[in-house]
Amino acid sequence: MSSQEDAEKLLKETAYFKEAPEALVQELARQMQCLNVEDGHNFFEEGEEIHSVLILEEGMLVRTKMSVDESDVAELRSSLREMPSEHSESASSDDSSVLIDMISGRAQVTGLLHNFKAGAVAYATVSAKGSVKAWLIEGEKFREAITKEPAYALEMMSALSRELRVGTKSLQALVRHSKAGHREGNATTEQKVCKVLCYDATSWTIEGFEPAIKEFNEQHKEEGISIEMEFTTERLSEHSAIFAAGYSAVCLFVNDTANSNVIQTLSLLGVRMIAMRCAGFDRVDTKAARAFGLTVARVPAYSPYAVAEMGIALLMSVNRKIHRANNRVRMANFTLDGGLMGIDIHGKTVGVMGTGNIGAILCNILFGFGANVLCYDVHENPDVLDKGGKYVSKEEILSQSDILFLMMPLLPPTKHTINFDTLKLLKKGMILINTSRGGLIDTKALLKGLQDGTIAGAGLDVYENEQEYFFQDWSAKTVTDSDLVALLGNNKVVLTAHQAFFTQEAVDKIVSDTIQNLTDYYHSNKSGIRHPNNCIPVHH
Ligand code: NAD
C-alpha cells in the first residue's frame, strides 16, 4: 500500500474524517507526513504555538503539564475535552511535570481544534511514550484543505463544539455554582466561611466533627472565621469529584482516591485544599496536587498508641487463638484439643519494620514482654536504639523474626514487602502482623505462606484491595474477591476492617487536628504562606 493510501485509510478511521468527502480525505492525505519517533519526542510543547494536527497510528502519547496557574486553568477549561483519551494514570512522567492523560490506539487525533485558527498555544506538552508512529498535517495546509469544503468544515466544527459542550457543560455549571458559592460566602458579611465537603463519611465521622465544628465556630465568632462541613457517604473518585463544586476544601479518609484526574477536576471546581483525616496519603497524587496548586494536609499522628496496641491485640489473638477459643466455648466445647496452643512472646525475636511514631511505641510494648526486638527502617530511631532495639538489614529481619510487624507507610519501595520472593526468607512458622497498609503484602504470597506452613498465623487490620469492602456492610451480599474470601475462611487469620486507629482518643485527635489544619490553611493563606504545619512535603 502506498503512503497516500495508508494515510487515507487512517484518516477514514478517525472519529472526525470518517464521514468526510472523498476529495477532502485525498487532499489531507496528500499533506500528511509520517513520523517514526522514539520515547520522549515532543510533538507539542506546553506554552508554544501548535502548528499541526497529529494523527496517531501506533504507540502511545502522553500529555504532561509543568504547573498550573490561573491562566492555565482558564485554558484547561476550554480545552479539557479536545483530545479523546483511552487511558489515564495518576503517576507523573518525570520529577517536575504532571501527567494529565495518555492517548493510545490507532486513529486518535489531537491538535484539531487548535488548528482551525493559526496561533493557538498548547496548554500541555504532548510527547511519545515508547516508539510512536504518527502522521502530521501542517496547520496551514489543514486550513487550506478544510476551507475548500465549507459545508463539511461547519459540520465538523459543530461536532467538535457538541463534544466540548457535552464534556464541559456540567463542569462549567459546577464551576459557576462554585464561584457563586464562594461569592456568597464572602458577600453576606465579613465572615470567612471555609466550606468543606467530607467524603466517605460514616457515623463516627459525623458524630465527631459536627459538635467540634459547632464549638469551634462559637469560639471564633469574634474573629469572623467559621467552618461549614457537609458530609457524603460517597468516596472521592473520578466519578464523585464533581460533588466538590462550591467547596474550598475536601476532607478525605484512607480509601478516597485523589489521583491526577481527580485533582484536576477539584482544581477546576475551585477546591484549594485536601484535608486528610488520617496519617497515610498513599492514594493522593501529591505531585499533581502541587502542580494544580492544592495544599494537602494530614493528621500525622492521631493516636500511635491505638495502632500499636491493636497490633499487639492481633498478635495475641493469632498466637493464643482467642478467636477460635471464643467460638469453641460458646459451643460448650471446653477442651484444649485441636490447635489452641500458642507461644510465649518473652524471649522471642520480634521484627518491627518501620520504627516511626507507631513502630517506636510498639517496640516499647515489646520490650515489656521481654522480646528480642529487631528493627528495620530507612532512618534509625535513636529512642528505639537507646532502649535496646537492634537495627538489621531487610534480609536479616525477614529471616530471623519469629513474629514480624509491618509498620511502615505504603510507598513504591515498600509495596509488597512480603511477596513470593521474600516469603522464601521467612522463618518457618512465623507470625505476620500488618496494621499499616494492605499493599505491603502480596495477598497471594501470604495465602501460599499460610498454606505451606511458612506463616503460622496472620493478624491483619488492612487488606490490599480493601477499598471496595471496608467500612461497608457486606453481610447480606456476596463477597466476590477470591483472596478476601480465602482470608475470611482461613482460621489462621484474624482480620479486622481497618479499625486499629479507632479509639476515642484517636477520633478526638483526628477531629481537632483536621479542624486545626483547615484553619491554619485559612490563616496561612491570608499571610501568603500556603502550608499549614501538617502539610505533606512535596517530595513524597
Ligand atoms: P511514621 O511516618 O511516623 O513512621 C513510618 C516509618 O516508616 C518511618 O520511621 C520511616 O522512616 C519508615 N519508612 C519509610 N519508608 C521506609 C522504607 N522504604 N523501608 C523501611 N522503613 C521505611 O508513620 P506512623 O505514624 O508510624 O504510621 C505508619 C503507618 O501506619 C502509616 O503510614 C499508615 O499507613 C499506617 N496507619 C494505619 C492505621 C490503621 O488504622 N490501621 C492508623 C494509622 C496509621
Side-chain angles (χ1 to χ4, degrees), residues 275-315:
M276 302 298 297
R277 53 182 192 282
C278 56
F281 50 92
D282 43 281
R283 304 184 75 85
V284 179
D285 186 334
T286 49
K287 225 190 280 175
R290 179 185 52 173
F292 284 94
L294 268 77
T295 293
V296 187
R298 62 171 178 148
V299 182
Y302 16 107
S303 171
Y305 300 98
V307 185
E309 288 168 15
M310 181 71 178
I312 296 292
L314 287 171
L315 167 63

Side-chain angles (χ1 to χ4, degrees), residues 215-233:
E215 194 184 327
F216 173 89
N217 289 347
E218 281 296 316
Q219 285 169 358
H220 293 79
K221 226 186 216 161
E222 307 281 290
E223 296 162 59
I225 308 170
S226 72
I227 296 174
E228 263 177 32
M229 187 178 274
E230 283 168 35
F231 301 90
T232 171
T233 53

Side-chain angles (χ1 to χ4, degrees), residues 229-250:
M229 187 178 274
E230 283 168 35
F231 301 90
T232 171
T233 53
E234 286 280 337
R235 290 204 174 138
L236 178 61
S237 64
E238 291 181 20
H239 156 75
S240 64
I242 54 167
F243 299 170
Y247 297 88
S248 40
V250 291

Side-chain angles (χ1 to χ4, degrees), residues 253-254 278-282 298-304 306-308 310 314 352-361 376-381 391 394 406-415 417 434-438 440 460-462 466 471 496-502 506 510 540:
F253 200 46
V254 291
C278 56
F281 50 92
D282 43 281
R298 62 171 178 148
V299 182
Y302 16 107
S303 171
V307 185
M310 181 71 178
L314 287 171
V352 179
M353 297 185 82
T355 52
N357 285 312
I358 298 168
I361 291 165
Y376 170 76
D377 198 303
V378 283
H379 303 294
E380 294 190 358
N381 183 329
Y391 282 87
K394 192 170 170 182
L406 303 182
M407 289 288 169
M408 65 269 212
L410 177 61
L411 297 168
T414 61
K415 186 166 185 212
T417 293
N434 184 11
T435 56
S436 280
R437 285 291 181 268
L440 296 178
L460 312 171
D461 185 50
V462 284
E466 68 180 46
F471 308 133
T496 48
H498 212 132
Q499 68 171 71
F501 73 96
F502 201 43
I510 286 175
H540 273 289

Side-chain angles (χ1 to χ4, degrees), residues 247-390:
Y247 297 88
S248 40
V250 291
C251 179
L252 309 183
F253 200 46
V254 291
N255 285 318
D256 289 302
T257 303
N259 62 21
S260 63
N261 286 344
V262 168
I263 284 173
Q264 179 177 329
T265 307
L266 292 178
S267 153
L268 286 169
L269 295 172
V271 173
R272 286 286 162 263
M273 187 196 185
I274 296 176
M276 302 298 297
R277 53 182 192 282
C278 56
F281 50 92
D282 43 281
R283 304 184 75 85
V284 179
D285 186 334
T286 49
K287 225 190 280 175
R290 179 185 52 173
F292 284 94
L294 268 77
T295 293
V296 187
R298 62 171 178 148
V299 182
Y302 16 107
S303 171
Y305 300 98
V307 185
E309 288 168 15
M310 181 71 178
I312 296 292
L314 287 171
L315 167 63
M316 295 318 285
S317 184
V318 172
N319 172 33
R320 303 306 297 270
K321 324 291 191 289
I322 307 292
H323 54 303
R324 286 157 66 180
N326 186 46
N327 288 341
R328 288 163 54 133
V329 293
R330 281 170 193 277
M331 305 283 285
N333 178 354
F334 302 113
T335 70
L336 299 184
D337 302 333
L340 289 189
M341 190 188 287
I343 53 168
D344 286 1
I345 306 301
H346 181 90
K348 293 294 175 306
T349 298
V350 183
V352 179
M353 297 185 82
T355 52
N357 285 312
I358 298 168
I361 291 165
L362 176 72
C363 288
N364 283 342
I365 303 174
L366 292 168
F367 294 135
F369 273 97
N372 163 35
V373 179
L374 295 185
C375 304
Y376 170 76
D377 198 303
V378 283
H379 303 294
E380 294 190 358
N381 183 329
D383 284 348
V384 173
L385 267 175
D386 275 359
K387 287 177 181 150
K390 186 178 164 211

